[in-house]
Structure formats: C-alpha cells, structure tokens
Amino acid sequence: MRLTIPLLINPNAGSLFRSGLKAWLDSHRDAFTLVPTESAEDLTAKARKLAEAGEPVVAAAGGDGTLMCAAQGLIGTKAALGILPCGTMNVFARELGIGSRRFDVALDAMQNGVSQPVDIFTINGKPFLQMAGFGMDARIIKLITPRLKRWLGAASHIVTALRVAMDRHPIITVTLPDGEEVYGTQVILGNGKRYGGEAHLHAEARYDDGMLDAVIMHQESPMILFEVLSSMMQKGATQRNTSAFTNVRRFESCVITAEGKLDYQLDGDYVGTIKPGESAVIERLPHRLNVCVPLNPVPVTPMGRFMAHPMVEAWKTRIKRFSRF
C-alpha cells in the first residue's frame, strides 16, 4: 500500500484557487496528508520536523519562495522535497522538468520519479534554489504591489520594468575567488538555466555541478532590459552571444559590493538592500537538497515554451475573463 505524502500548505493562499490546485487536491485526497502552515518560519520548522521523523518525501505547495522555505528545513536530511508548483512563475519546477501547474506530473515525480541532489547557494547565509538578482530586477520586484500582481500576474513585471527603466543604478563590484573584480549595474546569478519562467538566461548552468553562473551587465537600464531579452531569445547568455558590456562567469563563491544602495532578490522575492560599506557573500552549502524529479520531464517545444511563459499565460487568463462579458 502506497503511503500518503505530507503536504505543507497555506490553506489561505489565493494561489491554491487561481492555479486550480485546490480542486485537483479534492480529487487526490488519498495521495496526501495536508499539513497546514501559518507562516514561512512555521513551514520551515514543520518541514524539518517531518524529515527528522523519517518521512522519505515532504511536499510543498506554492511558488519558488514557498519551496525555498520548505527546502531550508530539508537541507542536510535524507528527505526529498516534493513540488506542487502553483505560484506565478514556478521557475524551479520548470527547471526540474515538472513544469508549471502540472500537478499530475508532480505527483508522479513523488511516487515514481527519482531523487535528484541539487546544489544550494547562500547570500549572507540566506539560501536560494534557482536564481538571485542584484540591481534592476530586484528593484522591479520590490516595487510590484500585491494589487498589481493580482490583476496582471507575471505581466506586472513588464509594467514595473518600464517604470524602473529610467532610474540610475549603482555600480556593482563582483570580487571573484582569485581576486579579480568585475563591474556592472545588474548581476543575475543562476543555479539553473531558467529565468522568469521557461526562458533560458544562463546557457550552461546546471543545478548539480557545484558551480554558480553569473551574467554581469554594465549598462544603463533600458539596455539591461534589451540584453536580458536578447539572451533569452538566444536560449541563454554566453560570452559569444552577448555584447561587449556583458560578462558571463562561473564560480563557486564571490563577494558583491556596491557604491550605493543595492536591492537584491532571491528566487523572485525581494529580500533586502545592501548599503555602501556592506557586502553580500555568496557561498555554496556543503550539503545538497534532495528533490523529486520526473523520469520523463515535460517536453517543451519553442512555441510551447513561449505559450507557457507566465506573462503569456497571464494575458490569456485576462482575455478569457473579458470574453465572458
């Protein structure tokens, strides 16, 4: 008899209804034991408690930020993280081949898939699963209001990016392990290829190679947007397909400082601001995180990748909503 999987869940999260997960769970009650959580700290604590109790798989429902909270409780344990991706972007789930809101694929990965060890990097002790950004992209995330996000979904990033595009951003210094210093106005770190949904930004990144990939851009805001979009269209940035103002590097650790206040984000959530004189220390944890991945990853064609992008999905939802009137 197959055991039920403990599922960490926020019963009041609006994403449960918007994603269709609540209805899906109603028809898969035998697969899970629901574990309600009250806060990010509570979710992490309950994940750790379940792992220490010997649960082989501990699942979490939510987006990238929620998954990171669960991961914090599971790092260094034998338990594997099961993912039910019901957030806006679901970048980490896409990276692992689960896809976005593909709940049947996610359940199959927990029951019949494999346990894949994933590298975990930290910034000043705060871990992230997929990506981290310093500069303009973090500023955009910081300024997105909950109301705008509810109304436009992932497309809220475009609206806010246009607002931020004219701002001046501080010069960032990335100090590599050998002492080399690389300068930029936007730094995006990737533990995997994807950034902002299905689009690839880090062409050669892998989540199990012990290395972190970085795209460091030294440009004004409008050109940063152009450079990011151009790299995505070319399936990721390499030193061969980027401009002379962009550096692509790989490393295990680095230190980031800035001449002015520098916003940063982890896995799509604004985390904080580094002030002049402060630094962000990026390091890899000695322990990996075990994650349930499907034996047969979700196939994505170029057109399917475009149609599955969160911004396109958001606009399709809006069109359907207006067509009812």
Side-chain angles (χ1 to χ4, degrees):
M1 181 178 177
R2 181 172 285 162
L3 298 177
T4 59
I5 301 168
L7 174 61
L8 300 163
I9 191 169
N10 176 2
N12 300 316
S15 60
L16 299 183
F17 300 90
R18 292 192 298 270
S19 66
L21 178 59
K22 187 178 185 302
W24 182 86
L25 284 173
D26 288 341
S27 61
H28 292 79
R29 293 178 181 176
D30 295 340
F32 299 99
T33 299
L34 300 187
V35 182
T37 62
E38 299 177 355
S39 65
E41 294 76 16
D42 184 43
L43 191 150
T44 298
K46 287 180 176 176
R48 171 67 66 171
K49 185 175 181 180
L50 289 165
E52 292 176 345
E55 292 288 350
V57 175
V58 177
D64 294 301
T66 299
L67 296 180
M68 187 64 256
C69 292
Q72 285 182 269
L74 301 181
I75 294 170
T77 73
K78 295 181 180 180
L81 173 64
I83 299 172
L84 280 177
C86 62
T88 302
M89 293 293 192
N90 302 310
V91 183
F92 188 57
R94 295 172 190 266
E95 185 74 28
L96 297 171
I98 297 171
S100 178
R101 305 181 180 183
R102 300 289 292 268
F103 305 130
D104 289 331
V105 176
L107 177 57
D108 185 64
M110 297 178 218
Q111 294 179 334
N112 306 307
V114 297
S115 178
Q116 169 69 49
V118 173
D119 298 322
I120 299 295
F121 290 84
T122 65
I123 296 178
N124 290 347
K126 297 178 181 178
F128 63 96
L129 289 171
Q130 178 74 15
M131 60 182 177
F134 295 80
M136 183 177 178
D137 72 334
R139 179 71 175 166
I140 292 169
I141 292 170
K142 180 181 180 180
L143 294 178
I144 292 176
T145 64
R147 181 180 180 183
L148 184 64
K149 192 169 184 178
R150 285 195 301 269
W151 176 243
L152 294 178
S156 59
H157 288 73
I158 296 178
V159 175
T160 311
L162 295 175
R163 172 185 171 185
V164 176
M166 296 299 109
D167 292 348
R168 181 187 178 277
H169 302 286
I171 302 299
I172 305 168
T173 301
V174 181
T175 304
L176 303 180
D178 61 1
E180 179 187 3
E181 294 183 343
V182 185
Y183 302 96
T185 48
Q186 170 70 60
V187 177
I188 302 175
L189 308 176
N191 193 31
K193 293 179 173 60
R194 287 166 175 79
Y195 176 83
E198 284 292 350
H200 290 190
L201 180 61
H202 303 91
E204 300 173 347
R206 288 179 55 89
Y207 50 73
D208 59 355
D209 62 356
M211 302 293 286
L212 198 59
D213 289 56
V215 175
I216 306 166
M217 292 165 276
H218 198 337
Q219 296 164 305
E220 297 297 328
S221 294
M223 292 308 297
I224 290 174
L225 290 174
F226 176 81
E227 190 78 20
V228 170
L229 291 173
S230 176
S231 296
M232 288 178 174
M233 292 176 65
Q234 298 183 74
K235 297 183 179 181
T238 68
Q239 207 61 65
R240 299 182 301 276
N241 65 15
T242 54
S243 73
F245 300 97
T246 297
N247 279 286
V248 178
R249 300 298 178 94
R250 308 188 77 224
F251 44 73
E252 292 186 19
S253 63
C254 73
V255 177
I256 291 179
T257 56
E259 64 174 9
K261 293 182 179 180
L262 179 64
D263 296 322
Y264 71 101
Q265 57 91 1
L266 303 180
D267 290 323
D269 287 337
Y270 168 75
V271 174
T273 301
I274 300 170
K275 300 177 182 178
E278 298 179 342
S279 61
V281 180
I282 289 85
E283 298 176 304
R284 179 167 55 85
L285 289 180
H287 300 292
R288 288 177 165 181
L289 170 72
N290 295 313
V291 184
C292 298
V293 299
L295 290 174
N296 299 303
V298 174
V300 183
T301 63
M303 179 56 69
R305 194 185 306 280
F306 173 78
M307 295 303 293
H309 193 279
M311 293 182 186
V312 177
E313 290 180 337
W315 285 114
K316 287 192 295 185
T317 300
R318 298 299 169 198
I319 292 171
K320 289 180 180 178
R321 184 175 297 176
F322 284 122
S323 67
R324 294 172 186 166
F325 295 98

